[in-house]
Amino acid sequence: MTVLDDIVAGVRLDLDRREAALPLREVEAAAADAPGPRDPMPHLRSTGSSVIAEVKRRSPSKGDLADIPDPAALAAQYAAGGAAAISVLTEERRFGGSLADLRAVRAAVDTPLLRKDFIVTDYQLVEARAAGADLALLIVAALDDDTLSRLHDRARGLGLTVLVEVHDEAEAERALALDAELIGVNARNLKTLEVDPDAFGRLVTQLPADRVLVAESGVTGPDDVQRYTDLGARAVLVGEALVRGGAPRETVAAMTGLLPARTGADA
């Protein structure tokens, strides 16, 4: 069993518990009553680098990262720094998150919110919309083709913007088969937790220029953002560097708006 398999098994157990406590029809009613979703794409397509700033307490690869007693206050700092979107981890067992975190952040900021989780069923997408999410993450490595396609269509039907995450060439092909507009390239292999620092640079040549590409993992500061921007990323997803750095607002601001470096031929 891979690390990803183990995480998904735990997610399914927690999902069974939530479904038993709150039937889908009640979650659908809450989603229908939620304010309409915000569209992050104009910001993500705008000139200069964009930041998706993450509320992240811990991870399987790094363990405990930060004590975050007030995720709403942290999210407010991200928004003040100019984050294009805020990612809220809601997986409980390995990341220490919850839907309560997502709801608290939604009440505090107007910035588009990403539900960051291991989404494997429609129920989780409806939960996301009911809790105020505007985007949902679909991890290609965690889903077979039929489920990936069905969840992608269901998410869009709910008004959610879908961030489709890939790690290698085969997964990138599967994302393109969906006609995914927003594609995240995760340098970390979720099956082994190993990091391939060249993953983004390798896959960007395979992905059409009209897609909005998000670089994930390995972003520690503006230099990393500049490197990814030069390679073709329109946005970076940053968690650890923000929750550990002690200056989330200033760090987001420093990472935002960077332009691709000019080459000699451009000068």
Side-chain angles (χ1 to χ4, degrees):
M1 177 179 284
T2 69
V3 175
L4 179 59
D5 290 335
D6 186 56
I7 293 172
V8 170
V11 165
R12 289 188 181 279
L13 289 174
D14 294 334
L15 179 59
D16 288 344
R17 171 178 48 80
R18 295 199 306 277
E19 286 188 280
L22 193 64
L24 176 60
R25 64 180 180 277
E26 295 185 27
V27 185
E28 288 176 329
D33 288 340
R38 297 155 177 80
D39 183 3
M41 297 308 293
H43 193 157
L44 293 174
R45 286 192 177 279
S46 63
T47 302
S49 58
S50 294
V51 175
I52 302 174
E54 193 156 81
V55 177
K56 184 176 187 178
R57 292 186 174 87
R58 64 175 183 261
S59 75
S61 60
K62 298 292 184 68
D64 291 337
L65 298 174
D67 180 29
I68 305 176
D70 189 349
L74 177 59
Q77 290 291 306
Y78 291 161
I86 296 171
S87 169
V88 183
L89 272 154
T90 58
E91 196 279 334
E92 301 175 33
R93 296 175 181 240
R94 296 295 193 99
F95 293 87
S98 69
L99 283 164
D101 286 347
L102 182 58
R103 287 189 287 267
V105 171
R106 175 75 293 155
V109 301
D110 290 328
T111 307
L113 301 185
L114 166 69
R115 181 183 185 181
K116 180 85 173 290
D117 210 318
F118 298 80
I119 293 175
V120 292
T121 71
D122 294 55
Y123 186 93
Q124 292 163 288
L125 293 171
V126 182
E127 279 184 323
R129 191 76 276 283
D134 310 290
L135 303 93
L137 177 70
L138 293 181
I139 301 171
V140 171
L143 302 164
D144 61 48
D145 284 341
D146 288 345
T147 305
L148 177 62
S149 178
R150 178 174 56 77
L151 292 178
H152 186 264
D153 289 347
R154 177 64 164 141
R156 295 180 67 178
L158 288 166
L160 291 162
T161 298
V162 186
L163 174 59
V164 180
E165 180 180 296
V166 304
H167 173 71
D168 60 23
E169 288 82 355
E171 292 175 9
E173 287 294 336
R174 294 176 63 198
L176 292 178
L178 295 172
D179 198 25
E181 179 184 17
L182 183 62
I183 300 176
V185 178
N186 194 345
R188 189 178 303 282
N189 183 339
L190 295 177
K191 296 178 181 179
T192 64
L193 301 185
E194 295 176 353
V195 173
D196 177 1
D198 298 321
F200 188 93
R202 189 173 64 253
L203 294 188
V204 71
T205 62
Q206 182 180 344
L207 298 168
D210 64 344
R211 308 307 159 93
V212 176
L213 304 184
V214 181
E216 304 176 27
S217 295
V219 179
T220 61
D223 288 347
D224 293 317
V225 179
Q226 187 67 69
R227 175 172 60 86
Y228 279 129
T229 300
D230 291 343
L231 288 170
R234 300 304 298 268
V236 292
L237 192 152
V238 191
E240 180 182 350
L242 296 178
V243 300
R244 282 184 161 175
R249 176 178 178 173
E250 293 79 5
T251 304
V252 169
M255 293 178 175
T256 296
L258 300 179
L259 297 170
R262 298 179 67 190
T263 65
D266 296 328

